[in-house]
Amino acid sequence: MPTTETGKSSTESEVSGLDYEETQLTLAPPGGSKSEPEKKRGFSESIDLRLGRPALEAHAKDPASGSSHGPVSGAGKSPASKAQVVGWPPVRSFRRNALRSCTYVKVAVDGTPYLRKVDLDAYAGYQQLLTALEEMLSCFTARDYTNERRLVDPVNGAEYVPTYEDKDGDWMLVGWWMFLLHARD
Amino acid sequence: MTYFPEEVVEHIFDFVGSHRDRNTVSTVCKAWYQVERLSRRTVFVGNCYAIRPERVMARFPGIKSLSVKGKPHFADFNLVPYDWGGFALPWIEAAARRCPGLEELRLKRMVVTDDGLELLARSFPNFKSLVLISCEGFSTDGLAAIATYCRGLRELDLQENEVEDHGCQWLSFFPDSCTSLVSLNFGCLKGEVNGGALERLVARCPNLRSLKLNRAVSVESLNKILARASHLVDLGTGSFAVDHRTDAYHTLMNSFPKFKSLRNLSGFWDASPCCLRAVYPVCTNLTVLNLSYAPAIQGDDLIKIICLCFKLQKLWVLDSIGDKGLAVVASTCKELQELRVFPCDIYGAGTTSVTEEGLLAVSSGCPKLNSLLYFCYQMTNAALITVAKNCPHFTRFRLCILDPGKPDPVTNQPLDEGFGAIVRSCKNLRRLSLSGLLTDQVFLYIGMYAEHLEMLSIAFAGDSDKGMIYVLNGCKNLRKLEIRDCPFGDIALLKNVAKYETMRSLWMSSCDITLGGCKALAAKMPRLNVEIINENEETDEFEENLSDLHKLEKIYVYRTVAGPRNDAPDFVWTL
């Protein structure tokens, strides 16, 4: 089956190096759930953006405490908006930009010739990614289910469930999302 | 000494090298001041707004080498607005007027324009070396001017600049008569360069020792260059990605063995593991290896190459090396002095990354380690205490735990004791960056023990004003203090105002400083510029309307003999 390929081959060689966590698209730093209820700083509001949860960790801001409102746009917005603490981690923009493309993945729909390259960096969350995929693979529409969205082929009604192939070649479920990825070797 | 003729005094001063010593010497008496200023060949200006360029050139008309720094360090992380300042042109103009003998110019974090570069190129007949680090505002047209007019240019070194791409031809402007290049680094350029021009340039410069190519240079082009440049000491490889089934790949595989002098390798922008094999033959001689721009090289392949590099002194890698890879570094690289581990995946939760284990291994295996930049997801007090014991020679220690305010995961305690151990043990520590959960206690330790500390970077740390006060009262040699997102307010700011005249600069953002506090500081210390950086467009007339209680987002305080600067943009208010 012919596949459409886009993009330079050089970035594709990085796809095979991706593993589960890299494609999971969590936005919070991997410190995981905040275990510090007594934190007095504003940053906790700004960086805890696990998808599906409200952006704020319900830390009442201690008025006697330190840090002012950080320069963050995420607090209060939808969980899918990509908000981060400005200038954190302290990595020079030159380096950030140079390493951007290590988040490319190829997206294919099983049994079809559709193949698209997607920069995970460009999407703040699964919903946006799915929307973008909808646009790219325009023959499908997304149907809402409770807690899940699936791609539906309007022709035959078949549902496509996104799954993910990890570096060991196993098909994995990614959170509540299953996402089909072709990793090129 | 006053009976010696000036020539003898001058000759003696030849042996006085360092800036500080020369500065001291010049204050002894008028005669010495005169001799020193006329014989001074190198000047370093750490803050371009601390003194006017005309004054520098008037005092030192004979300088051959000038080094100037512009924006505050936190500009690297987008905390300083784009057009804040740091313009190079006034410096170039002043030098062009007064110091025509200038041979070297080194600029860091400054705004350099094409006009400035052209003026530079045309004004100094003996110009030999241009080094631009983290600068912006210029394009490849400016580089073309340098190439055209700087006869006898030896060094063009562009490190991590933002350069606008106006085409690939700038390299062709080096005339055929240019054979003097020793060092050429254009690794930061985004666009292509004319491959033929590059190859011919390399071929006609027999003294070329350092060549750093940008990502756009293909392996095919690299092969041709390598064929002509076997005396290279320092190579930035360009893209380094090619299909292993091509001729170019096979040529690459055979290119490196002849490079007997090669000591530094970097670049590897798109390198894949099979291409990396090409450099194995030179690994045993390498002293510097930078793989930090090569995300496709994962842990196992990193290990394969590091195993061979037993003379390595400086290693920059991504955290995909993992603790396992760092253990290999520890057992192989016994000469290692500097290690930098950068985060590969800035936004997400990478599984392969490094923890305190990796750092522990390196600290125990590499006795000469003195400089560290380490991004990791967690750190423990126990590890830091052991690292401090293993490595008392740290001069630079920068630890960035990616989750701000994260405690020791084992004990859930702040990392005060760990960093305390570092400053207590490392008596020559000059630079320190803190991270993780930290209370005022760590600053007490720093104030008490970090006697030689010159630069301190603090983020998301501390409980109260006491923290900052400990530092200001304690660290005798502190020159640069930069703070973000800490609960330090006016009391801390105003506790020891005289301190700021002994320092180059203070940066505070997202702290608890108020307008009133800054006004008080400015009133007490006329020889400081107290800059308020206010990017909020809604408060345009903020000078009239804001109360003294208004909290300030960003302030930058620095000593100066030049008074308030005349090039400040609207959003910068100097009190």
Side-chain angles (χ1 to χ4, degrees), chain A residues 19-134:
Chain A
D19 61 13
Y20 174 82
E21 279 74 10
E22 289 178 35
T23 53
Q24 189 174 12
L25 296 177
T26 45
L27 294 177
S33 50
K34 289 280 170 282
S35 52
E36 280 289 312
E38 293 313 311
K39 273 232 189 73
K40 294 175 190 171
R41 294 172 198 89
F43 73 86
S44 59
E45 301 154 4
S46 52
I47 57 171
D48 192 359
L49 285 174
R50 288 229 179 256
L51 294 170
R53 290 208 264 130
L56 300 180
E57 258 286 284
H59 292 179
K61 197 158 175 287
D62 181 351
S65 81
S67 199
S68 53
H69 32 278
V72 170
S73 51
K77 284 199 189 149
S78 78
S81 62
K82 189 170 195 163
Q84 289 179 289
V85 179
V86 172
W88 192 267
V91 171
R92 282 187 182 171
S93 3
F94 180 84
R95 177 172 290 281
R96 276 178 193 266
N97 296 336
L99 292 177
R100 258 186 123 58
S101 58
C102 76
T103 52
Y104 270 88
V105 295
K106 281 167 109 175
V107 177
V109 180
D110 202 22
T112 72
Y114 297 103
L115 188 71
R116 290 288 181 273
K117 197 162 74 168
V118 165
D119 180 358
L120 293 182
D121 243 2
Y123 305 102
Y126 291 105
Q127 291 197 331
Q128 285 180 345
L129 181 53
L130 177 56
T131 310
L133 285 174
E134 244 175 53

Side-chain angles (χ1 to χ4, degrees), chain B residues 395-414:
Chain B
T395 54
R396 292 181 208 79
F397 190 87
R398 293 190 281 166
L399 180 67
C400 180
I401 300 163
L402 287 156
D403 192 356
K406 185 172 173 157
D408 179 327
V410 173
T411 63
N412 226 36
Q413 293 299 302

Side-chain angles (χ1 to χ4, degrees), chain B residues 179-342:
Chain B
T179 57
S180 49
L181 276 181
V182 174
S183 166
L184 177 62
N185 172 8
F186 59 90
C188 61
L189 294 191
K190 297 191 257 286
E192 299 202 351
V193 295
N194 181 316
L198 175 59
E199 289 147 32
R200 287 189 297 278
L201 181 63
V202 169
R204 66 177 181 272
C205 292
N207 298 325
L208 193 67
R209 294 292 171 268
S210 173
L211 178 64
K212 293 184 178 170
L213 309 170
N214 70 347
R215 193 173 193 162
V217 176
S218 66
V219 164
E220 287 85 353
S221 196
L222 175 66
N223 283 335
K224 291 190 201 142
I225 290 165
L226 293 180
R228 310 284 221 143
S230 48
H231 298 297
L232 282 180
V233 172
D234 183 0
L235 174 68
T237 66
S239 153
F240 222 64
V242 74
D243 193 305
H244 64 268
R245 292 165 292 197
T246 58
D247 287 340
Y249 174 81
H250 292 289
T251 310
L252 186 69
M253 287 300 129
N254 294 317
S255 287
F256 281 86
K258 68 176 182 185
F259 283 90
K260 304 294 177 210
S261 316
L262 200 56
R263 297 287 174 270
N264 294 14
L265 273 180
S266 60
F268 300 108
W269 300 99
D270 298 306
S272 61
C274 55
C275 288
L276 198 60
R277 276 190 229 129
V279 304
Y280 287 179
V282 293
C283 283
T284 51
N285 284 327
L286 285 185
T287 53
V288 176
L289 179 61
N290 182 356
L291 286 163
S292 67
Y293 288 105
I297 310 293
Q298 300 286 303
D300 289 339
D301 296 296
L302 285 171
I303 288 173
K304 282 192 200 134
I305 187 171
I306 286 167
C307 273
L308 304 168
C309 300
F310 56 85
K311 288 193 192 152
L312 214 54
Q313 294 173 15
K314 189 151 107 168
L315 175 64
W316 292 21
V317 282
L318 293 170
D319 61 0
S320 45
I321 190 172
D323 289 335
K324 192 168 140 214
L326 288 177
V328 175
V329 172
S331 58
T332 312
C333 309
K334 297 304 182 183
E335 302 298 314
L336 196 69
Q337 296 176 29
E338 175 177 323
L339 174 67
R340 296 195 191 189
V341 180
F342 294 95

